[in-house]
Amino acid sequence: MATPHISAPEGAFSKTVLMPGDPLRAKFIADNFLTDAQLVTSVRNVLGYTGLYHGERVSVMASGMGIPSIGIYSHELYSQYGVENIIRIGSAGSYVERLNVMDVVVAEAAYSDSSYALVLSGCQDKVLKPSPAINAMIIKKAEELGIDLKSGIVHSSDVFYGEEPWQSIAERTGSDCVEMESFGLFHNANMLGKNAACLLTISDSFTNHVELTAEERQNNFRTMMTLALETAIAL
């Protein structure tokens, strides 16, 4: 059952899929956390794997960058492959002093000026929320693992190089950090009757100008990855 963007056969994905943006981060998770991991799709080098974590079946697949990209992949996973839960695991830039580089953040909601939801289904909301059940499980697992999990409102931006000052964006949107995908994921889940959540690691800060390298973003988000995997096998 291949789609235009996913070459996996029917049944190739588990009911819960972790979605980093970077295909190499998906490979990193498969190589370092899963056993018996199999590459199930590689169309356009957007890599997807299914394997075992503590004996439980888990899938991880890249989403690419931006709402349109995660919109395509998450829609096909939900509608064509029977996936029930998607947990985005990505990086974000902090708008506030309380969120520092390497902090792990669970999204309470996502604000966006994107037209994605409007064009797709007529939804005019600018703020969309994740699935309460997944967020509750993430919080529970963080407590069990002793992870200092933060929470916040996420700004899902359509542009990386914008002219509006970040201070203005933070005030206007009420957001604590910025990334580029969760709004599209949340909309697809809401529209299709599925579940979604978003975990982020702060990779750079607008307030103190600290930032991680590309290699550090790819390889150093183990706390977030572990939390996502523990949540996935508990759902």
Side-chain angles (χ1 to χ4, degrees):
M1 184 210 331
T3 70
H5 310 99
I6 301 174
S7 59
E10 184 175 359
F13 293 99
S14 62
K15 71 172 184 177
T16 300
V17 177
L18 307 188
M19 291 201 85
D22 185 354
L24 292 180
R25 195 179 300 156
K27 184 178 186 302
F28 180 88
I29 294 169
D31 289 345
N32 291 275
F33 290 90
L34 303 184
T35 57
D36 300 324
Q38 301 293 321
L39 179 68
V40 296
T41 184
S42 59
V43 177
R44 300 184 182 219
N45 283 325
V46 176
L47 307 178
Y49 300 85
T50 296
L52 300 177
Y53 180 74
H54 295 332
E56 300 289 336
R57 197 163 178 259
V58 178
S59 296
V60 54
M61 178 179 166
S63 71
M65 289 189 290
I67 289 172
S69 186
I70 198 171
I72 290 171
Y73 293 113
S74 63
H75 194 289
E76 292 183 359
L77 288 173
Y78 283 141
S79 66
Q80 303 300 314
Y81 285 95
V83 171
E84 293 295 326
N85 314 303
I86 295 177
I87 303 174
R88 164 163 157 67
I89 48 174
S91 58
S94 173
Y95 286 154
V96 294
E97 291 184 0
R98 71 178 182 87
L99 298 182
N100 297 307
V101 168
M102 294 305 295
D103 280 350
V104 180
V105 181
V106 61
E108 299 173 2
Y111 174 98
S112 187
D113 295 308
S114 171
S115 63
Y116 178 83
L118 179 64
V119 172
L120 185 58
S121 69
C123 175
Q124 299 185 46
D125 296 338
K126 287 186 174 293
V127 178
L128 297 176
K129 293 187 176 181
S131 303
I134 300 185
N135 269 27
M137 184 59 72
I138 288 171
I139 292 168
K140 178 183 177 183
K141 289 299 174 182
E143 291 173 352
E144 292 176 359
L145 295 166
I147 295 171
D148 183 17
L149 180 67
K150 308 293 178 64
S151 64
I153 297 174
V154 176
H155 171 213
S156 287
S157 180
D158 266 346
V159 297
F160 191 88
Y161 301 104
E163 295 185 356
E164 183 180 3
W166 68 266
Q167 297 93 335
S168 171
I169 296 173
E171 182 177 358
R172 176 174 63 80
T173 66
S175 299
D176 300 297
C177 57
V178 57
E179 48 85 78
M180 302 185 73
E181 288 83 26
S182 59
F183 182 85
L185 174 62
F186 293 172
H187 177 69
N188 280 358
N190 294 341
M191 181 182 68
L192 296 170
K194 303 289 187 171
N195 306 300
C198 176
L199 275 172
L200 300 165
T201 298
I202 300 300
S203 58
D204 56 280
S205 171
F206 288 85
T207 63
N208 61 27
H209 309 293
V210 176
E211 60 182 272
L212 301 179
T213 66
E215 184 177 2
E216 288 172 330
R217 292 178 191 226
Q218 179 183 315
N219 298 327
N220 288 2
F221 292 172
R222 287 180 176 268
T223 300
M224 174 180 65
M225 294 170 182
T226 299
L227 178 55
L229 285 162
E230 292 290 336
T231 301
I233 64 173
L235 293 174

